[in-house]
Amino acid sequence: MNRSKFQIWGVGLLLLASSLMLIGAATEGAAFLITGLILQVIAMILLIKHLGKRSINKDDLY
């Protein structure tokens, strides 16, 4: 399976963001929640870039 850097970083950031949000919910720390939300948005942008890159490469094969 061919993975791009966008996919690897996106999934890693999603895991980090969910961990930070869990810590923020458990300790009621707003800083953890806000940081987790920002990281989640960045991760989704990276994953969307990965999907766009994948569809372009798929079109080149035909």
Side-chain angles (χ1 to χ4, degrees):
M1 179 175 235
N2 190 9
R3 293 188 180 134
S4 72
K5 290 183 181 180
F6 292 129
Q7 182 184 17
I8 294 169
W9 278 100
V11 171
L13 281 176
L14 273 178
L15 290 171
L16 178 63
S18 63
S19 299
L20 286 174
M21 291 175 67
L22 179 67
I23 292 170
T27 62
E28 297 179 5
F32 288 117
L33 288 172
I34 293 170
T35 306
L37 287 173
I38 291 170
L39 286 178
Q40 212 171 30
V41 170
I42 293 170
M44 294 319 285
I45 291 170
L46 290 175
L47 290 174
I48 289 170
K49 280 188 174 188
H50 166 70
L51 289 176
K53 183 178 176 184
R54 185 173 162 210
S55 66
I56 291 170
N57 290 338
K58 197 178 212 181
D59 292 339
D60 291 341
L61 293 176
Y62 296 111

